[in-house]
Amino acid sequence: MQIDVLTIFPAFFDVLEVSLLGRAREAGLLDIRVHDLRDWTHDRHRTVDDTPYGGGAGMVMKPEPWGEALDALVPADAGAQAPPVIVFPSPAGARFSQSMARELAGASHLIFGCGRYEGIDERVFDYAATRGDVRMVSLGDYVLNGGEVAAMAMIEAVGRLVPGVVGNPDSLVEESHEDGLLEHPSYTKPAAWRGFEVPPVLLSGNHGAVAAWRREQQLERTRARRPDLLGPQD
Ligand code: 6GU
């Protein structure tokens, strides 16, 4: 999978070199390229923003660098190549989820356009839609200073679903949100620690009882912490 990131703060993505995704990049499973949007400016100050038409607070990202960047990343004559999915992280987007991560993991080329300031000139999204499948995506109902941290979260959530990135595929199945429930609690040795004991069923060797206990724990936790996942409660 190829992932291109457009940002005025490439340093936010330095941590992609560590851990699981870093190894996946070295192994050639993920081809992640981070680009400085200012490379597509032409003035001495490498300007990417300007004042908003109609007035108001803050600055808006100018369309021209975005247009040139998209032209560079999406060849006009891509031939048989599938158009990329172009994600713009935005608090005004659709909510990101495990199911959206699964969907994005099926794409062969993702582009993340990270906006700053009060936003990006709206025509950039119109133009991007002529080059790919545009998604406005939010992490949740709170505001970050820009799209970079959100893009990082999405890249990690999507990247780990790419086949081969996570060594043991079973661990992708047994985790929170994969079956619409939160994950059950986990324990390791020692069986007693500072007065806290591992639930005896996990030491019983009875696989059926362990599975039933874990399921009940998943349901109980989901009811307590995320009742919204269980649907409308009437
Ligand atoms: Cl995707 N971007 C920004 N700027 N803020 C957010 C967000 C995204 N998701 C939640 N808050």
Side-chain angles (χ1 to χ4, degrees), residues 151-166:
M152 275 298 302
M154 295 185 228
I155 289 168
E156 183 157 318
V158 171
R160 62 194 295 286
L161 298 179
V162 170
V165 172
V166 169

Side-chain angles (χ1 to χ4, degrees), residues 88-92 115 137-148 150-151 154:
F88 289 100
S90 163
V137 185
S138 167
L139 287 193
D141 296 339
Y142 46 84
V143 178
L144 305 171
N145 284 332
E148 284 78 8
M154 295 185 228

Side-chain angles (χ1 to χ4, degrees), residues 95-97 141 177 180-182 218-234:
R95 176 78 77 90
F96 188 65
S97 62
D141 296 339
H177 300 295
L181 297 174
L182 302 185
Q218 285 193 279
L219 283 165
E220 201 172 293
R221 277 192 162 184
T222 308
R223 268 193 299 270
R225 298 178 187 174
R226 292 294 306 279
D228 57 297
L229 295 178
L230 298 171
Q233 307 293 294
D234 40 34

Side-chain angles (χ1 to χ4, degrees), residues 8-183:
I8 59 168
F9 294 117
F12 268 98
F13 298 88
D14 286 354
V15 290
L16 286 172
E17 284 174 25
V18 300
S19 189
L20 204 82
L21 293 195
R23 253 175 288 134
R25 287 174 91 178
E26 279 172 21
L29 296 167
L30 295 175
D31 177 9
I32 306 179
R33 305 175 195 187
V34 181
H35 312 270
D36 188 341
L37 186 68
R38 292 189 201 274
D39 291 348
W40 288 282
T41 59
H42 304 287
D43 64 308
R44 206 155 54 83
H45 300 291
R46 311 226 292 163
T47 310
V48 292
D49 61 332
D50 206 336
T51 54
Y53 275 123
M59 300 290 270
V60 175
M61 294 191 94
K62 302 156 57 63
E64 298 96 324
W66 286 102
E68 290 192 29
L70 288 169
D71 289 346
L73 297 184
V74 191
D77 178 28
Q81 238 171 292
V85 176
I86 307 176
V87 177
F88 289 100
S90 163
R95 176 78 77 90
F96 188 65
S97 62
Q98 191 65 22
S99 64
M100 196 187 292
R102 274 191 294 265
E103 192 190 327
L104 295 179
S108 55
H109 186 193
L110 293 180
I111 298 174
F112 287 89
C114 301
R116 283 265 148 182
Y117 311 111
E118 297 309 304
I120 303 174
D121 186 303
E122 190 70 18
R123 293 167 294 180
V124 170
F125 310 125
D126 302 331
Y127 181 68
T130 69
R131 296 317 195 83
D133 176 6
V134 171
R135 307 293 179 85
M136 312 293 295
V137 185
S138 167
L139 287 193
D141 296 339
Y142 46 84
V143 178
L144 305 171
N145 284 332
E148 284 78 8
V149 167
M152 275 298 302
M154 295 185 228
I155 289 168
E156 183 157 318
V158 171
R160 62 194 295 286
L161 298 179
V162 170
V165 172
V166 169
N168 179 359
D170 287 346
S171 53
L172 294 176
V173 179
E174 297 170 16
E175 61 192 5
S176 292
H177 300 295
E178 272 303 329
D179 57 3
L181 297 174
L182 302 185
E183 197 175 11

